[in-house]
Amino acid sequence: MHTRYRSGTPLNDAYTTLRVSRDAGIARVTLDNPPVNVLDVALMGDLRRLLTALRDDDSVRVIVFDSANPEFFIAHVDMSLGDTPDALDKFAHDLPDGVNVFQALGELLRHQPQVTIIKLAGMARGGGAEFVASADMTFAAIGRAGIGQIEALMGIVPGGGGTQYLATRVGRNRALEAVLSADLYDAKTAERYGWVNRAVPADELDDVVDRLARNIAALPEGVIAAAKRAIPPEDLAEGLLRENDAWTGQIIRPAAAQLIRDGLAHGAQTPDGERDLEGLLRRLAG
């Protein structure tokens, strides 16, 4: 049942790219931005509004994210934004100090008072992988989930917190591997690296996440807040500044802009093109 959240939160129908419901202290958020769930202005805006609205809603203890598209959780940041940079201006007026608009979304999720859980049953690349890594927990479906930082194939580096979130989760050596290989990692490898909490059989993913979410939501009053206070997210302020400098230094290069435009022209952001996006971009870069 879709309901109005407290503190003036808008109705579910106010979101154009999300389906939102809640039950027993759990907000369930389904990303629904066809055709491949790119992280565009609409999806970024909806996620920012939702997370901001839920911050002060103490009746919601857990937020679970999944996707309406079984193949794609979040494909990546909308590659066409390079041709319409002014589209992001709407997010610039309330940015925290020292972060760009993409990092701000990750930091909003990373510091959310509720427990945030990603149910990863499809692919998350680039900005999608950054969103996944900024959540508290991720459970990935074996044989279906894939995660990767593909930015290097477009002549850039991750610019939405990915370098910092990765290093925090998997260590510097594996973070460098993931960023510079630009490969798509399967659920079992991502689990072994520490990129996700656990790889589970695809037919068990719903039950595993639902059981965990319900158990956490049913904990006695104050336990979640106490745990999050005792195990806080790392302070990444300096690292985010370094990442933004590295990203902006690359994104302004003509070669990067050309690779991104070529990717769009050859099928990126369409279902067929996204199924082997790494292969497509490697062919264009070669």
Side-chain angles (χ1 to χ4, degrees):
M1 174 180 179
H2 299 308
T3 58
R4 181 182 292 274
Y5 292 103
R6 292 163 57 179
S7 303
T9 311
L11 290 168
N12 180 74
D13 290 345
Y15 303 111
T16 61
T17 64
L18 306 174
R19 302 184 208 157
V20 184
S21 64
R22 71 175 181 179
D23 173 61
I26 304 168
R28 303 181 188 276
V29 183
T30 298
L31 311 181
D32 189 7
N33 192 27
V36 295
N37 278 353
V38 293
L39 188 59
D40 59 10
V41 170
L43 181 54
M44 286 179 63
D46 279 350
L47 287 168
R48 283 165 55 100
R49 283 192 296 275
L50 175 72
L51 292 170
T52 300
L54 288 178
R55 289 191 70 81
D56 297 324
D57 189 343
D58 57 12
S59 71
V60 174
R61 295 180 163 194
V62 181
I63 309 172
V64 176
F65 295 91
D66 64 9
S67 173
N69 188 321
E71 287 191 86
F72 305 101
F73 178 74
I74 297 176
H76 44 72
V77 169
D78 182 4
M79 292 164 65
S80 71
L81 285 174
D83 292 325
T84 57
D86 292 348
L88 298 172
D89 287 352
K90 65 191 316 185
F91 303 134
H93 68 281
D94 60 350
L95 287 181
D97 291 339
V99 299
N100 64 42
V101 295
F102 303 111
Q103 292 170 334
L105 177 60
E107 289 299 278
L108 185 61
L109 181 60
R110 205 165 65 92
H111 291 275
Q112 197 71 16
Q114 292 88 1
V115 174
T116 56
I117 303 175
I118 303 290
K119 185 160 52 173
L120 187 62
M123 288 181 273
R125 295 182 173 107
E130 290 172 323
F131 187 83
V132 168
S134 60
D136 291 325
M137 308 176 196
T138 299
F139 297 85
I142 296 171
R144 289 177 53 188
I147 189 167
Q149 297 291 167
I150 59 166
E151 290 88 347
L153 296 174
M154 294 180 278
I156 58 176
V157 294
T163 61
Q164 305 306 299
Y165 304 152
L166 256 179
T168 297
R169 285 188 174 222
V170 309
R172 179 179 181 271
N173 57 340
R174 283 177 166 165
L176 280 169
E177 176 197 337
V179 168
L180 296 177
S181 73
D183 283 339
L184 188 70
Y185 289 74
D186 62 62
K188 289 184 177 180
T189 304
E191 178 196 57
R192 188 167 70 250
Y193 277 27
W195 205 336
V196 303
N197 288 67
R198 201 186 321 166
V200 300
D203 61 355
E204 298 177 16
L205 182 64
D206 289 344
D207 289 342
V208 167
V209 172
D210 188 65
R211 178 177 179 276
L212 177 64
R214 289 185 179 279
N215 285 346
I216 292 173
L219 289 170
E221 186 73 28
V223 171
I224 293 171
K228 285 205 144 188
R229 187 166 60 250
I231 314 171
E234 291 189 31
D235 183 352
L236 300 177
E238 291 185 10
L240 291 171
L241 283 172
R242 292 194 303 270
E243 178 188 80
N244 187 56
D245 287 345
W247 176 74
T248 54
Q250 291 298 118
I251 197 70
I252 62 172
R253 290 174 178 260
Q258 189 60 54
L259 283 168
I260 292 169
R261 291 192 184 101
D262 287 348
L264 285 168
H266 285 81
Q269 302 192 177
T270 68
D272 286 344
E274 291 289 334
R275 290 185 183 107
D276 183 26
L277 185 62
E278 293 82 8
L280 169 64
L281 293 175
R282 288 186 200 283
R283 291 190 294 275
L284 292 172

